Amino acid sequence: MDILFAQIQADLRSNDALRQTGALLQALQQSAAGRDISVIAKSACEEIVASPASAVSKKLAFDLIRSTRLTTDLWETVCAGIRTDLDFPDPAVTAAAVSILAAIPSYRLGKLISDCNKEISNCFDSYSDTLRHSITETLGCILARDDLVTLCENNVNLLDRVSNWWRRIGQNMLDRSDAVSKIAFESVGRLFQEFNSKRMSRLAGDKLVDSENSLAIRSNWVSLMIDFIWKKRNALMARSLILPIESFRVSVSPLVFAVKAVASGAVEVIRKLSKSSGSRSGYGNILDLGNAEKLVGVSDVVTHLVPFLSSLDPALIFEVGINMLYLADVPGGKPEWASQSIIAILTLWDRQEFSSARESIVRAVVTNLHLLDLHMQVSLFKRLLLMVRNLRAESDRMYALACICRTALCVDLFAKESVRRGQKPLAGTDITSLFEDVRIKGDLNSVTSKSLFREELVASLVESCFQLSLPLPEQKNSGTESRVIGALAYGTGYGALNWTEPALEVVEVCKPCVKWDCEGRTYAIDCYLKLVVRLCHIYDTRGGVKKVKDGASQDQILNETRLQNLQRELVKDLREVNTPRTCARLIWAVAEHIDLEGLDPLLADDPEDPLNIIVTTMNKVLFNVDSSATTTNRLQDVQAILLCAQRLGSRHPRAGQLLTKELEEFRNNDLADSVNKHQCHLILQRIKYATAHPESSWAGVCESRGDYPFSHHKFTVQFYEASAAQDRKVEGLVHKAIQELWRPNPSELTLLLTKGIDSTYIKVPPSGYTLTGSSDPCYVEAYHLTDSTDGRITLHLKVLNLTELVINRVDIRVGLSGALFMDGSPLAVRQLRNLVSQDPVLCSVTVGVSHFERCALWVQVLYHPFDGSNAAVEYGDGDYAEDEIQIMRQKRSLRPELGEPVVLRCQPYKIPLTDLLLPHKISPVEYFRLWPSLPAILEYTGAYTYEGSGFKATAAQQYGASPFLSGLKSLSSKPFHRVCSHVLQTVAGFQLCFSAKTWFGGFLGMMIFGASEVSRNVDLGDETTTMMCKFVARASDSSIIKDIGSDLQGWLDDITDGGVEYMPEDEVKLAAAERLRISMERIALLKAAQPPPKHSKPDEEENEEEEETDEINNKKKEKKDNGEEDGKPKGPSTLSKKLTAEEAEQRALQAAVLQEWHMLCKERGTKVH
């Protein structure tokens, strides 16, 4: 290998272009094989890039540079070669030099393009198509990136040049060369895409915070391009038509984005963001446009695109179809635009073409389904469900299901409301007919199924109904979402109960799900029963069907009758339930709300009577011997059945009679434990009392609350079972899709476009952390940004030369420790040139994080005060002939000596552990079920002081703040989800529960228990109180707890910003013992202060003798108080004969709780009166 590398280097040093090309190709082959070619890259930089060479050799050398890592010195060599080549007479060489600009590191790019701005501008005017193509392509990639936007923010001259280059790129869309025109369209499209998603910046590794100025700069460029495209749209459409058909696709997106921005009014907001005056001629013309002219512009673009929907190129059909859908929801848009696009896109599915984009096809169709007219939506439903069923990607399948379910509710509500308003009914719009496809229906009615699709469908339908029951979100902007919200609002008429009509159809369609055998999974069935219980509670099915004379409307009577029939059918299905865990839940859902008074008394002995079926099934559950963890939760099932028995038996005499017999039998059976036997005894007494006193049946039964106290989550012992894990996975996917669709988190750009300019939406860069001392010659300040999606951390450094000299060269070295890595290199080097005194210079380093661990970046500053002082031998600046090329290389290789560097070691920059966490939303019930199953545990104690009384505490309480939580207030800004909290104000105690997940999926739960203690030091009337906090952390992985426990004070500083001080266990025990000693001394003093009991004695002598005896006893008692008797020290336990310290504390706590409860009751009573 060494021989091969030596041969390659020898060929590179030769003057033969053919040998150089062959050597570079060999080097690229070695690089592709994974070998280290840094030695060859160094030779290529010096012999090819920085020397005269052919255009082919230059391009191959630049490809070699892209495939390896260069040192800072080599990048300087490359930049010098680029500057030389930009003035080279051969445009092919210049084009090759321009192409490498995109690969220049961010910290070196700004200076290079500032120095070469004239040469770069000249490239746009070149007669060579290759050079114009190269400059348009390269600048289109660079100028849209975040790092260049930030450079422009700090350099006004550079900003003007870049803005001018964007104008030139826009003009190149009309270039005579097809290749140049195509790449110009691509570049402008990339700018628009970057404005929305910042995809290029993410690929470049930049994790920068948008400041207000950088947002204004990018908005200015976007508005420039929109203005240009709108004014030149006819010319651009004509130019795109004469592009080759394979290149036409890139011209679609920029045209559509610009026209949509003008037609929807978004360009006005973009212009406000750019802070540019609207008085310029172009801007003024757009602002003065009327709606008709805007709509004509949109129609022209649609007319331009429609013929390409019948193209033979699948990628072109998809691109045109997607962009026409994007235009279809502009104000005045036509449903035909959407229907033509969707038909064309679905044709791709039928032709089995473009199969790699199956998910994209379905997502595009379901997202824009509401743009179609009602007839077409109904005709597409059955087909879409089958398409979605065949999707492999779970997230896409769930999102499509959520869209379909929402549209089904939309169609049903809209059609019913239209009929109410006198319009002709449209067949097939009710939910029952939308889901009547033979395969879907067969899937719903079959007992067993291998696919999860039917469970996902039922869960999505039910969760969509629950979303419909909530208030509809406000929509202030026109567009896709506003149409959906408008249709839902039209259908519900903003009525509180109108959502129950489609929900009633949903529970009728999905009724077969209670018979499913899902291999232990219950999430879909739980969702269904929850909706049934909610509807029964709303319509109060206990009281039977209401009548017209009671004020019920015809619709209400019809709905209640349907619900009563559904309940009776569910009761019959009790015998056919195939999932044991579902049986008790179905009994709960039906028994709580069934109309017992409406049952026919003549059928009391009929086995088909609903009450007899319920009681028989209760007997099966109570006497179920199979209590294995995989089939039932017997504890939970028995509790549910006993509660149902109490409520059913108290409501109806016959039910009470039947259930009394069953409970007596269960109570005397060995299957009932002692707790169940006591419960049965209590329930029997209540049923007996309710039967004897019908007017007081409330003793055993309460009003139905519509709650469904079951979950698919199993007890912690069964937590790791496969079916429960599958349930949790499906639940997470369904909830995420429903939330993303119904109540999405808007992007920052959307917020800015809809709500205008507000500084709260502009991110503020984090505060810097000083790494150097006050007397150091260089000042270094740093802050970091994290990106959990890519698992990266970017360290941003600001270096300031504090000396009065100009330092020619400064090297920044960044070492890594912990879980940080950087592409196989443990050390990053940044080289800064010409540091002027007091002039800040910025640079950044991006590193990856491999796992959850404490990590730090170690910064060293090496500056060379004597750089360039000792010059080498000068050869003069004469021109050299071809045969003297070796002398020329020798001159270039002799560089000035750097001299001895001065090394400045900075403080380590530690990354807080909390920055590697993400908040994890979880319900309290699930949190406490999960808590005991977490294997790793850590307990420690912290303390902080707060204002217990005085002016500050009073002021804090007036404004609703709890002064005793002051040390933990920083937790609200940390990446923890606050699950629940319990605060006891009278004794200043609390319990807080938090949950989080690491970037890598590990779960971390944290509980904080607090109890306050009065401090002895009182300062200026404000009595400070110490809060003792017990922190308990549990995690799914022991390594998480190990890293937290390695530096507990550091962890407390991370989560509380230094507000809590760690206390070792020894100190805690000593403090507890000291508090106990002080309290016992106080008790002893109180007892000693009590007067002795007086006894009447007839004899004065006896009184005198007793006084002497008392004096002796008092002396002994004083000795006992001091802990000494007969020279033996004694503990204080003999002083508290009646109550121990723990009992006294417990009684005080109980008294405090009762006092707080009494105060709350008084306040509530005052508010009521």
Side-chain angles (χ1 to χ4, degrees), residues 49 52 73 200 314 355 436 439 529 633 779 812 833 863 933 955 973 1053:
V49 176
D73 290 333
M200 285 299 297
S355 57
E436 67 178 4
R439 278 171 283 189
L529 292 178
N633 270 341
Y779 170 80
I812 306 290
R833 294 281 187 177
Y863 64 98
S933 66
S973 61
D1053 291 342

Side-chain angles (χ1 to χ4, degrees), residues 75-99:
W75 274 121
E76 289 296 327
T77 306
V78 171
C79 291
I82 291 172
R83 279 198 297 269
T84 306
D85 289 345
L86 285 176
D87 277 332
F88 203 80
D90 185 1
V93 174
T94 307
V98 165
S99 67

Side-chain angles (χ1 to χ4, degrees), residues 1063-1076:
M1063 292 190 67
E1065 288 301 313
D1066 297 339
E1067 292 184 17
V1068 174
K1069 290 177 182 177
L1070 286 173
E1074 179 67 17
R1075 288 196 304 274
L1076 182 62

Side-chain angles (χ1 to χ4, degrees), residues 822-866:
M822 180 189 292
D823 301 332
S825 171
L827 188 70
V829 179
R830 293 287 181 264
Q831 192 179 98
L832 309 177
R833 294 281 187 177
N834 301 324
L835 262 69
V836 183
S837 177
Q838 305 298 326
D839 187 14
V841 179
L842 305 176
C843 65
S844 64
V845 176
T846 300
V847 296
V849 185
S850 59
H851 56 276
F852 185 83
E853 186 186 353
R854 292 192 177 276
C855 44
L857 296 104
W858 303 74
V859 180
Q860 279 188 355
V861 179
L862 285 76
Y863 64 98
H864 305 265
F866 307 109

